[in-house]
Amino acid sequence: YWTWPKKIDRPVIERALTLDFIPEGRNLILLGTNGLGKSMITKNIAHAAVLAGYSVLFRTASEILDDLQCDSPELQRRKLKKYSHPQLLCIDEVGYLAYDHHAADLLYEIVNRRYERRSVVVTTNRAFKEWNQVFPNATCIATLLDRLTHHADFTVIEGSSYRVRESEQEAQARRKRS
């Protein structure tokens, strides 16, 4: 059972679900702490896009960056093309893990190849000013964020984690049964 978080810019989400941002090559960024439904919202947008006939790829940031770590420049080019091609690329959980500066370069390359042509949805639990902690010593962070946020809609989601709420409700139910 899921309810809307305490604070969300619902019109931004409802507008995103119309998919108008995809033909425009705009991006969507969902920012908030864990357990607020960012991934679920993104999956719903991706599902709607598939039903509307768009090509969609949904991956976590760690899956993408692990996939791109390879020794062969030719293989890496092919993999970058795979992430450049879909009309909608959903990158989930940016900021949940820390990476090296090379990972930032790879993420920048994906965003740069898609810039003003193909849409990206990003979920993150970190404010942009904290991305230097996610990608320490990366020189491309400012440029990456510049391209990602240009032509983008943002929403900050605030509230309590639904997982924490469910755990508390389960604990209360067990106490009542005892």
Side-chain angles (χ1 to χ4, degrees), residues 39 41 47 59 168:
S39 297
I41 291 167
H47 180 74
R59 295 284 186 275
E168 290 169 352

Side-chain angles (χ1 to χ4, degrees), residues 90-157:
C90 302
I91 307 175
D92 196 29
E93 300 180 350
V94 176
Y96 286 73
L97 301 174
Y99 302 96
D100 62 14
H101 68 280
H102 182 63
D105 295 341
L106 294 171
L107 188 58
Y108 166 77
E109 188 62 35
I110 291 170
V111 169
N112 187 50
R113 288 172 181 230
R114 300 181 64 80
Y115 179 62
E116 295 187 325
R117 292 185 292 278
R118 303 277 190 186
S119 296
V120 179
V121 175
V122 171
T123 70
T124 182
N125 64 334
R126 300 284 194 112
F128 295 137
K129 65 183 178 185
E130 297 174 358
W131 279 33
N132 284 324
Q133 296 168 17
V134 177
F135 302 103
N137 303 315
T139 57
C140 69
I141 290 297
T143 307
L144 166 64
L145 289 172
D146 183 62
R147 300 243 164 103
L148 184 63
T149 59
H150 187 225
H151 309 303
D153 292 318
F154 304 85
T155 187
V156 176
I157 304 171

Side-chain angles (χ1 to χ4, degrees), residues 30-43 92 96 123-125 157:
L30 305 174
L31 171 66
T33 57
N34 302 353
L36 297 180
K38 297 179 303 296
S39 297
M40 187 196 72
I41 291 167
T42 302
K43 287 177 182 179
D92 196 29
Y96 286 73
T123 70
T124 182
N125 64 334
I157 304 171

Side-chain angles (χ1 to χ4, degrees), residues 36-99:
L36 297 180
K38 297 179 303 296
S39 297
M40 187 196 72
I41 291 167
T42 302
K43 287 177 182 179
N44 285 332
I45 292 168
H47 180 74
V50 167
L51 292 177
Y54 291 105
S55 57
V56 177
L57 184 58
F58 181 101
R59 295 284 186 275
T60 65
S62 63
E63 289 171 335
I64 291 171
L65 295 170
D66 286 347
D67 184 40
L68 291 172
Q69 299 289 340
C70 55
D71 293 331
S72 164
E74 179 56 35
L75 179 58
Q76 191 174 69
R77 276 192 293 279
R78 282 198 309 263
K79 289 181 177 190
L80 282 167
K81 187 175 181 181
K82 173 176 80 172
Y83 295 108
S84 303
H85 181 70
Q87 291 164 302
L88 178 62
L89 175 63
C90 302
I91 307 175
D92 196 29
E93 300 180 350
V94 176
Y96 286 73
L97 301 174
Y99 302 96

